[in-house]
Amino acid sequence: MTQRTWTAVDDYLDQRIVRPDDALSGSLAASRAAGLPAIAVTAAQGKLLNLLARAMGARRILEIGTLGGYSAIWLARALPPGGRLISLEYSPKHAEVARASLARAGLAEVAEVRVGAGLDLLPQLSGPFDFFFIDADKEGYPDYFRGCLALSRPGSVMVFDNMVRDGEIIDDRTSDPDVRGARQLYDDIAAEPRVSATSIQTVGSKGYDGFCMLVVNG
Ligand SMILES: C[S@@+](CC[C@H](N)C(=O)[O-])C[C@H]1O[C@@H](n2cnc3c(N)ncnc32)[C@H](O)[C@@H]1O
């Protein structure tokens, strides 16, 4: 199996059942045009986030790492009437692109992008949030975990992206700060009795990686 196959299968699945619409494709195009890096989740991953949030009836969603707003659109579309998404983004330029794409998707009223470092912004938020998607700097994941736990309730769901990293996650001698951050998060989750977690390895148009999902215990 090769990257070419994974990409072709993602394309097939996108056309058959994932079906990203013009607002989603437009947000990727706007990100490209503005020179943002092409590191948004895939359509299949975005749809998974949407389905998870819908399945649990999430009314308040917190995202850390907005980029151009692609995953934010998927997440905000999961909200019921009266629901709200807050997304934290370090880069003012990324936030500006994201706000424009959210507005074009008709989500300006339900999705708010706040600019700043996630760790600075988290303490300014009031919980609880039902669903968290953490996709910013991986070094910060252990701190984001603590911060999000403080804003959670029993039954809240957290999803952390990029938690397998081409399999580098099993390298205990790594000096890569992103891998070290992910490994520290696994250690912290393992030592935290208030959560139940799993991780799923994935392949697709963005290569080989995986996501970690956890539920805050009742
Ligand atoms: C992988 S991208 C997010 C992709 C987005 N979730 C999507 O799928 O469409 C990571 C984003 O996190 C932002 N970021 C990096 N460090 C951050 C920090 N300390 N606080 C908040 N955002 C940060 C980056 O500027 C970048 O836009």
Side-chain angles (χ1 to χ4, degrees):
M1 286 297 147
T2 62
Q3 179 60 58
R4 187 186 296 184
T5 307
W6 302 338
T7 300
V9 172
D10 255 355
D11 289 346
Y12 169 79
L13 295 174
D14 288 356
Q15 285 166 30
R16 300 301 297 170
I17 61 167
V18 177
R19 293 188 182 154
D21 64 9
D22 289 348
L24 284 158
S25 315
S27 112
L28 292 179
S31 289
R32 261 194 312 274
L36 272 51
I39 52 174
V41 295
T42 65
Q45 290 166 340
K47 182 87 174 266
L48 176 66
L49 293 170
N50 174 282
L51 295 180
L52 287 171
R54 277 173 59 193
M56 72 167 302
R59 299 185 63 83
R60 297 195 76 216
I61 300 177
L62 177 63
E63 176 179 65
I64 309 179
T66 320
L67 192 65
Y70 186 72
S71 54
I73 293 174
W74 280 112
L75 285 166
R77 285 179 169 173
L79 291 165
R84 190 151 187 79
L85 166 81
I86 296 178
S87 188
L88 311 182
E89 172 54 53
Y90 184 74
S91 158
K93 179 179 171 184
H94 295 187
E96 189 185 320
V97 174
R99 286 188 187 118
S101 287
L102 284 160
R104 278 193 299 274
L107 295 164
E109 301 302 315
V110 295
E112 178 189 354
V113 182
R114 296 193 184 178
V115 178
L119 280 181
D120 294 338
L121 297 176
L122 276 176
Q124 299 169 20
L125 296 170
S126 309
F129 288 87
D130 307 304
F131 191 94
F132 300 84
F133 179 49
I134 298 96
D135 192 21
D137 56 306
K138 314 314 170 196
E139 275 182 276
Y141 274 21
D143 290 324
Y144 295 140
F145 174 51
R146 291 287 145 212
C148 290
L149 202 51
L151 293 169
S152 72
R153 59 161 175 82
S156 291
V157 169
M158 295 182 204
V159 175
F160 291 85
D161 202 12
N162 309 121
M163 286 295 287
V164 173
R165 316 194 66 80
D166 279 318
E168 289 171 25
I169 196 70
I170 59 173
D171 180 2
D172 59 5
R173 295 183 175 181
T174 182
S175 57
D176 181 329
D178 291 341
V179 181
R180 290 172 71 94
R183 285 179 61 87
Q184 184 62 51
L185 175 61
Y186 280 125
D187 290 347
D188 293 353
I189 289 172
E192 176 51 74
R194 286 178 290 171
V195 303
S196 302
T198 188
S199 246
I200 298 296
Q201 301 182 66
T202 57
V203 294
S205 56
K206 296 278 166 72
Y208 168 42
D209 208 328
F211 63 91
C212 175
M213 175 181 158
L214 64 85
V215 175
V216 179
N217 295 324

